[in-house]
Amino acid sequence: MRIGVVAPSCPLKVEAAERVQALAAEVGASLVIHPQCFLEDGHFAGPDHVRLGALREMLADPEIDGVWFARGGYGSNRIAGALLDDLPEGARWKRVVGYSDGGFLLAALHKAGLAVAHGPMAQDVLREGGADAALRTLRWLAKNDFGALEPDLDGPAFAFNLVVLSSLMGTVLEPDMSGAELLIEEVDEELYRIDRFLFHVSSQPGFARLRRLRLGRCALKANDRPFGAELEAVARHWCELSSVPYGGRADIGHDSANRVVPFPLRNRPAPLS
């Protein structure tokens, strides 16, 4: 199993690269870390065209079995549409894993029929307990380890960072989540912003077709005054207004306990004869 690592958003730290290389060997996989992962161009791991080129290269390489996003941050939305417009031949047979800002690309690639999943990224190895997080993704990619999955999945599911989801809803990247459950998580936002993002997400026609919503971990900033409602009450409020069942909590988040959530396979092309 050969896993390609690319950085569609921000640069990967060298220390993280060294640690995940060693962990990959533990599960019988080898990592091919694209040199682009270490580039710096302002906020990004290289200019848009360079990040897009590295991602296309990994998706096109017949020797690469899966693609792992190096880290989140910001930037993958800037290249997701172009990737969708010109997907490399053979890309649809690879697995792709990431989360956070990578959700833009997961949504795009899911629309194209790839097997994508929300899951820990290479940079997460630097968190406390990060080795377990990285191994979770590596075991799912290399061994299809169901133990890496969010434990309460009982049907088709999607998982997104809420800000990313709010940004892509209503665009060409929005996935068809009909009949699926949606798991959301967030980090470094005030509760009033969570309320605002859920207003936008739940106002989109596609939200009403969900089977249920579940709430992952949300590491919140303090409001400058009490908001007047707890986090779950906010989620329940928008679910009730949209007639979408609220299903409780989910084991995902911007932390080392983050679990893998494979998206349902849809729009899968027929194998070549």
Side-chain angles (χ1 to χ4, degrees):
M1 160 66 75
R2 286 168 61 85
I3 300 167
V5 181
V6 292
S9 303
C10 299
L12 177 67
K13 292 186 178 180
V14 172
E15 181 186 0
E18 292 171 348
R19 291 191 188 183
V20 292
Q21 285 277 23
L23 292 173
E26 291 184 20
V27 300
S30 62
L31 293 189
V32 180
I33 300 178
H34 199 289
Q36 169 271 328
C37 289
F38 307 107
L39 297 180
E40 294 190 28
D41 183 62
H43 182 89
F44 309 106
D48 290 353
H49 74 278
V50 172
R51 300 194 321 278
L52 177 60
L55 180 54
R56 280 184 172 145
E57 186 180 327
M58 287 296 190
L59 288 170
D61 189 338
E63 307 240 333
I64 296 293
D65 303 297
V67 175
W68 195 16
F69 295 157
R71 63 178 295 182
Y74 174 74
S76 75
N77 61 306
R78 297 169 62 100
I79 62 176
L83 178 65
L84 197 57
D85 289 340
D86 187 20
L87 197 64
E89 197 66 33
R92 290 177 176 84
W93 308 112
K94 300 187 194 304
R95 284 182 167 186
V96 181
V97 182
Y99 76 107
S100 190
D101 184 71
F104 290 105
L105 289 169
L106 295 182
L109 293 171
H110 174 264
K111 288 179 75 75
L114 274 73
V116 307
H118 159 109
M121 295 180 288
Q123 183 86 357
D124 286 329
V125 74
L126 299 183
R127 298 181 186 273
E128 184 177 354
D132 287 339
L135 280 169
R136 214 171 287 127
T137 291
L138 288 166
R139 287 176 178 143
W140 185 74
L141 280 169
K143 300 180 178 294
N144 202 32
D145 180 8
F146 287 178
L149 302 186
E150 203 281 339
D152 293 323
L153 297 177
D154 61 359
F158 292 82
F160 287 100
N161 171 264
L162 180 57
V163 171
V164 169
L165 178 65
S166 181
S167 298
L168 66 82
M169 291 289 275
T171 75
V172 68
L173 302 179
E174 180 181 342
D176 177 5
M177 298 185 287
S178 300
E181 69 171 348
L182 171 63
L183 284 57
I184 56 172
E185 54 84 22
E186 193 47 82
V187 64
D188 290 340
E189 298 287 353
E190 294 89 349
L191 190 49
Y192 77 88
R193 293 180 183 271
I194 302 295
D195 189 65
R196 180 189 296 161
F197 296 133
L198 279 171
F199 155 71
H200 178 252
V201 168
S202 65
S203 299
Q204 302 301 308
F207 187 84
R209 296 192 288 271
L210 288 171
R211 180 166 58 93
R212 68 183 180 188
L213 175 81
R214 285 203 284 142
L215 184 64
R217 289 177 291 281
C218 297
L220 301 178
K221 293 180 179 177
N223 277 22
D224 61 354
R225 67 197 72 186
F227 184 69
E230 297 299 322
L231 177 62
E232 279 199 270
V234 170
R236 289 180 184 276
H237 170 77
W238 295 109
C239 282
E240 288 170 6
L241 285 182
S242 306
S243 299
V244 169
Y246 174 69
R249 303 309 297 261
D251 196 7
I252 63 168
H254 270 67
D255 52 44
S256 57
N258 191 23
R259 304 297 285 263
V260 175
V261 179
F263 292 12
L265 279 176
R266 294 175 177 167
N267 308 314
R268 193 75 160 168
L272 296 175
S273 55

